Amino acid sequence: MMRILVSACLLGRPVRYDGRAKDPGTDLLDRWQAEGRLVPLCPEMAGGLPVPRPPAEIEPGATADGVLTGRGSIRTATGEDLTAAFLAGAAAAVRLARATGCRHALLTEGSPSCGVRRVHAGRFDGRTIPGQGVVAAALRAEGIAVYSQSEAADLAHMLALAEKPGF
């Protein structure tokens, strides 16, 4: 059975920056949890950040790959640099995925850690831009397929195909 690394907030855990959980918008997580597939992680907490915590965004003009290679930072609206904690969380996600055999991840869209296709623009104005978070980028670099919560059905389809005999 294929395991899935999943953002803990999608499982109802109150670990987001504002102390809340995130509605995954699907019943698939309940099924996967009952099957024992899910490996939950909040990378921001794994990186040492508290709950609640100030919102943080990848700085304007930087990318997740840039942050991972020291050419960008993740900051709060007051300018506090949280890059080290986000990098530690990304490293923890990669270690956990390796240790548990996860080849797939289901992450929270929009986050500077877990954004899969979009992240906040770095100006704390609510605007998002195409891009990914540092955890998504780090996992992809390890060959792990990354999906957002809105792509859970796509992940389910891929798992069904991959687990068919003879695939």
Side-chain angles (χ1 to χ4, degrees):
M1 172 180 48
M2 294 185 170
R3 311 266 330 260
I4 305 165
L5 185 73
V6 63
S7 295
C9 62
L10 294 175
L11 296 176
R13 297 184 184 173
V15 296
R16 291 182 43 141
Y17 75 94
D18 57 5
R20 297 175 169 188
K22 181 86 173 164
D23 180 3
T26 180
D27 293 329
L28 286 168
L29 289 175
D30 291 335
R31 186 178 90 208
W32 290 335
Q33 191 164 24
E35 293 171 353
R37 286 184 187 272
L38 299 181
V39 178
L41 174 74
C42 173
E44 293 171 14
M45 288 187 66
L49 295 174
V51 174
R53 57 189 168 270
E57 298 182 7
I58 297 172
E59 68 181 332
T63 65
D65 289 327
V67 173
L68 288 170
T69 58
R71 297 184 325 267
S73 65
I74 299 176
R75 298 184 178 271
T76 66
T78 62
E80 182 183 3
D81 188 345
L82 300 180
T83 305
F86 279 81
L87 291 175
V94 168
R95 280 193 309 275
L96 183 60
R98 281 184 191 152
T100 57
C102 292
R103 302 304 306 149
H104 305 88
L106 188 68
L107 304 177
T108 305
E109 194 65 89
S111 159
S113 288
C114 297
V116 174
R117 307 229 180 276
R118 63 179 174 80
V119 294
H120 286 274
R123 292 182 169 78
F124 299 91
D125 59 4
R127 194 170 63 90
T128 61
I129 58 172
Q132 63 184 338
V134 293
V135 169
L139 291 171
R140 282 182 171 134
E142 291 293 315
I144 295 168
V146 178
Y147 298 81
S148 75
Q149 74 266 25
S150 66
E151 299 170 322
D154 296 334
L155 175 55
H157 179 71
M158 195 289 312
L159 291 173
L161 289 175
E163 291 177 342
K164 279 186 176 178
F167 181 73

